Amino acid sequence: MTGFRLTTLLAISASALTLAACGSAEVASPGEGDFGGGTGGGGGGPVTPPPGTPATDCPTGFANVGVVAGGTLRACQLPQQINGALTVPLRAGTIYSISGRTAVGTDQGVDPAAPIAGSVQGILTIEAGVRIFASGGSDYLLVNRGSQLFAEGTVTTPIVFTSRQNVEGTTTESSQGQWGGVVLAGRAPQANCQLTVPVTCTGTVEGTSAFYGGNTTADNSGRLRYVQIRFSGFEISAGNELQGLTMAGVGSGTTVDHIQVHNSSDDGIEIFGGNVNLRHVVITGADDDGMDTDTGWRGGAQFGIVTQRPAGSTSRSAGFEFSSAPASVPLASRYVSQPKIANWTLVGRNATTDAHTVAHFDSGTDATIINSVFTAVSGSLAGCMAINDADTATSGVTFNSIFMSCTLSYRPANTALSTAAFTAGTNNTAAGTSTVTAPASGTSLSNQVLTFINGANENAVTPVAAATTYAFFQNTTYIGAVQNAADTWWQGWTCGLTAGATC
């Protein structure tokens, strides 16, 4: 089974059964933006258009802003402020858009039992197969504290967030940064929170004005399943960027499963604090880090593929960049990050400088990494791993059943600390010979090395019993993300990883 290219999705949308439009009397006025031909929101039930022609109207609660994709799709814009419940229905001949900062609810504060006076909850539901696009870097979807996003696709009908250029067919393999991304803000603990009564949290989500954090570890921001986020990420200012998917203070009650982020101009996924857990993650072509964690994330992630494109600069970009609270806080009192990782395969950059690293750990991160594969193409100067500072060595990153196969096992500037941490674990291979392979059916991405399927050498490593390390984890008989060619969890709902699945 292959993933979906946009042209395939257009055909599916044009032939899909029409679903009833759902809205809310509490939904605010639509945001701005017009592509021409808009006539306002629809009133009654939609009429199914012939294949390849746009719907004649939009569901109630959405602004009709014209047509896109050569006039084949009606563009229906979400309100910039979503209060109450709003459903984005799958409709023939219809695609949806966001314009500007599109917020679900308003910030309800740190305490679910005592929301901020005057604040409002929003609940946004997106049906399987829906596509939503944005046109610029300041366009992003924000789910505020106390609100929820339910975006649940399927293997054959994923939900796609993408750029207008992608919808119009003008993106290339190197396209990035064409819109903002998706941001979830929750009430789980983070490093900038005072967790004793009265609980307070300072700081905002990177790239936004949204507050995050609290003292509710099991906070629930909704469910994201079978979702693609393409061509996102945007630099608001130096060091202040939107990622593909940003999760800040997101609790363990939130479901994140089967998520792909493709060609983010910054990180693929960045997690600030919280206790959210993830499964089945694919990050392709991030311009900076694949997965970046900071400010006290204490959750877990199992089954992940990161493939990086060639380096565009000498910045310290990595498959993993795991950081902790600001180094200005003494380590003994720092709310350090405690990420737990199992069954990931990181395919590093073909780097011409050793500034790059496949897996980088700094600022006191207390990480546990098990049953994973770190690799890079022959000749790449990206070290497989780096323990970057004394604080991180003191916290103690734990490695068990890790197979590394890079030209440089460790980043040269950090060899001593990195060697000590890696050799302290069990069943670890520092300088193995890679036998990973690419999908036999071919891929549609030619600018990345997509060898992420285990071979004999990777499968010869005895795995740790993952569930004894972290209850969220599932035990496996193998290390790495993909055991063999018969292990196809990554197929069908992703783009770029199989022939005919162009992003």
Side-chain angles (χ1 to χ4, degrees):
M1 187 182 299
T2 63
F4 279 65
R5 67 173 74 208
L6 267 174
T7 51
T8 304
L9 282 167
L10 298 182
I12 289 175
S13 179
S15 61
L17 291 176
T18 301
L19 299 178
C22 298
S24 171
E26 299 179 79
V27 172
S29 299
E32 297 177 357
D34 197 313
F35 304 115
T39 58
V47 176
T48 302
T53 58
T56 58
D57 63 0
C58 291
T60 300
F62 298 81
N64 181 353
V65 291
V67 293
V68 293
T72 61
L73 290 171
R74 176 67 53 191
C76 300
Q77 188 170 288
L78 278 69
Q80 285 189 316
Q81 181 62 51
I82 299 168
N83 296 335
L86 179 67
T87 295
V88 185
L90 180 66
R91 299 169 85 238
T94 304
I95 194 168
Y96 296 89
S97 68
I98 60 173
S99 178
R101 180 184 189 269
T102 300
V104 181
T106 61
D107 180 29
Q108 295 200 287
V110 300
D111 187 355
I116 294 173
S119 64
V120 181
Q121 183 188 52
I123 299 177
L124 178 63
T125 300
I126 303 172
E127 293 184 346
V130 163
R131 286 155 301 125
I132 299 176
F133 72 89
S135 300
S138 61
D139 302 336
Y140 63 97
L141 179 65
L142 165 66
V143 181
N144 276 302
R145 285 188 296 192
S147 292
Q148 294 178 308
L149 170 63
F150 295 93
E152 298 185 86
T154 70
V155 171
T156 55
T157 55
I159 292 166
V160 177
F161 292 92
T162 191
S163 65
R164 182 180 178 184
Q165 295 94 319
N166 191 215
V167 173
E168 301 285 11
T170 62
T171 49
T172 68
E173 284 192 334
S174 60
S175 295
Q176 61 178 26
Q178 296 179 335
W179 66 289
V182 177
V183 180
L184 303 181
R187 289 168 161 154
Q190 49 107 341
N192 297 308
C193 287
Q194 172 185 298
L195 299 179
T196 55
V197 177
V199 176
T200 60
C201 293
T202 60
T204 58
V205 182
E206 183 174 329
T208 78
S209 58
F211 289 96
Y212 72 103
N215 200 20
T216 307
T217 57
D219 194 45
N220 185 349
S221 294
R223 293 190 295 272
L224 279 71
R225 302 181 71 246
Y226 297 103
V227 172
Q228 295 177 20
I229 303 172
R230 306 180 184 177
F231 306 108
S232 57
F234 190 76
E235 185 176 57
I236 306 298
S237 59
N240 184 29
E241 302 98 356
L242 288 165
Q243 331 299 325
L245 174 61
T246 302
M247 292 183 287
V250 176
S252 61
T254 307
T255 298
V256 181
D257 193 350
H258 291 89
I259 306 295
Q260 180 184 19
V261 179
H262 175 69
N263 275 26
S264 170
S265 67
D266 193 54
D267 303 323
I269 295 175
E270 186 157 12
I271 307 176
F272 296 93
N275 304 78
V276 65
N277 296 309
L278 303 82
R279 274 202 188 101
H280 303 113
V281 175
V282 174
I283 302 171
T284 45
D287 198 44
D288 193 12
D289 306 312
M291 189 162 82
D292 191 344
T293 70
D294 208 345
T295 61
W297 176 49
R298 297 186 173 185
Q302 187 174 26
F303 307 116
I305 299 167
V306 176
T307 66
Q308 296 188 280
R309 52 181 153 164
S313 70
T314 58
S315 64
R316 191 193 65 199
S317 299
F320 285 160
E321 183 179 3
F322 287 180
S323 302
S324 206
S328 58
V329 177
L331 181 61
S333 56
R334 195 178 306 169
Y335 187 82
V336 298
S337 302
Q338 296 176 345
K340 298 171 182 63
I341 300 295
N343 295 96
W344 280 64
T345 297
L346 308 185
V347 184
R349 299 182 186 278
N350 187 2
T352 58
T353 170
D354 64 19
H356 299 278
T357 314
V358 178
H360 175 99
F361 307 89
D362 67 29
S363 58
T365 294
D366 180 10
T368 299
I369 318 293
I370 65 171
N371 299 349
S372 293
V373 174
F374 302 164
T375 188
V377 297
S378 178
S380 173
L381 296 183
C384 255
M385 193 270 283
I387 302 296
N388 193 60
D389 53 31
D391 279 354
T392 306
T394 299
S395 284
V397 179
T398 299
F399 298 95
N400 289 314
S401 296
I402 307 299
F403 186 88
M404 300 200 305
S405 54
C406 301
T407 301
L408 300 176
S409 296
Y410 310 109
R411 186 180 179 198
N414 315 106
T415 299
L417 293 179
S418 302
T419 302
F422 196 73
T423 56
T426 59
N427 297 330
N428 294 327
T429 302
T433 299
S434 174
T435 55
V436 291
T437 60
S441 59
T443 62
S444 64
L445 295 175
S446 61
N447 67 338
Q448 296 173 55
V449 176
L450 300 178
T451 50
F452 55 82
I453 300 172
N454 283 1
N457 289 352
E458 292 77 20
N459 282 332
V461 178
T462 302
V464 175
T468 63
T469 299
Y470 188 52
F472 173 78
F473 291 158
Q474 300 170 352
N475 289 329
T476 63
T477 58
Y478 59 93
I479 70 167
V482 182
Q483 181 179 14
N484 51 40
D487 185 1
T488 59
W489 65 260
W490 50 273
Q491 291 186 18
W493 57 277
T494 57
C495 68
L497 301 184
T498 50
T502 305
C503 292

